[in-house]
Amino acid sequence: MLLIKNSSYNGFYHTQSAGKPEEQVSASFFCALNVVKGLCECCLRNVVQYIRKNCPKQQEAVAWDFYPYLQCMVRYSTGRKIFSMLDDWAWCRSGDDLSVSTVNLEKTMDSMINKLKVKAAGGNALRKYASDSIHYDGDEHALYVDVQCTPDLTKEDCLKCLTKGSNEIRNFTRTPLFSGRVISTNCYVRYAHTNLFNPPTEYNTKLCG
């Protein structure tokens, strides 16, 4: 598997093979920005193995893996460039089995995401990420939210992706579920009522397959 270079690690890496246009393979690797490089690679390695096993002949594929504190994505396409392209053909949704007793989760989430998506989209070519936390319902609940786009997107395309993600995640906040996330080929939106922003720096290498 391709390892992400230490000097350029920002949760995203893209590569493209040489050759005839119709034979070129374009691939992207994407992790939550707040996880360490080794943990990102551990997650990605599992996804690569899954794709090799389940999509051996597909010209194009995308797959994700989820953990409580991170998610990662691998996608590739043969004969079509995907760098800087906003694709809307694949979304994955993951919600908690537990609900939370609250009346203002959806309203609070909408307010936070409206600010965070603008901040993330205004990032640079290396980073399009934003996060925040807040206490709501009279300080009864603590809410943690982060959003991220692949940094190859334009500001406008990042906003489009996160706007759709924020609409999709309402399926969880209306319930309301304790945590939820939606991730596409280009961005993700996630929230939880436990701290998302301090993932472990050490991990069991056996998880990497």
Side-chain angles (χ1 to χ4, degrees), residues 7 24 26 35 56 64-65 73 83 118 163 171 200:
S7 60
Q24 292 178 356
S26 184
V35 302
W64 302 267
D65 200 2
M73 179 202 75
F83 188 76
V118 173
T163 296
N171 293 316

Side-chain angles (χ1 to χ4, degrees), residues 46-86:
N46 289 332
V47 181
V48 168
Q49 290 176 354
Y50 175 88
I51 288 180
R52 285 175 174 170
K53 179 180 178 180
N54 295 279
C55 311
K57 297 182 180 180
Q58 275 79 355
Q59 292 292 100
E60 189 161 1
V62 59
W64 302 267
D65 200 2
F66 299 112
Y67 297 87
Y69 39 81
L70 86 149
Q71 63 273 325
C72 66
M73 179 202 75
V74 175
R75 66 180 298 212
Y76 72 88
S77 179
T78 304
R80 185 176 78 90
K81 294 181 180 180
I82 58 176
F83 188 76
S84 298
M85 300 293 294
L86 176 62

Side-chain angles (χ1 to χ4, degrees), residues 150-190:
T150 56
D152 57 318
L153 289 186
T154 64
K155 177 180 180 179
E156 293 74 20
D157 283 344
C158 180
L159 276 173
K160 288 179 183 178
C161 193
L162 292 176
T163 296
K164 179 164 184 178
S166 65
N167 292 335
E168 293 284 339
I169 210 163
R170 288 194 183 107
N171 293 316
F172 302 137
T173 59
R174 286 171 181 162
T175 303
L177 296 184
F178 187 80
S179 65
R181 68 186 101 192
V182 294
I183 182 170
S184 75
T185 53
N186 296 102
C187 72
Y188 74 79
V189 176
R190 68 175 173 168

Side-chain angles (χ1 to χ4, degrees), residues 2-21:
L2 174 68
L3 297 181
I4 301 174
K5 299 178 181 179
N6 280 310
S7 60
S8 60
Y9 176 69
N10 59 355
F12 176 76
Y13 188 80
H14 176 80
T15 184
Q16 183 165 322
S17 67
K20 298 178 181 178

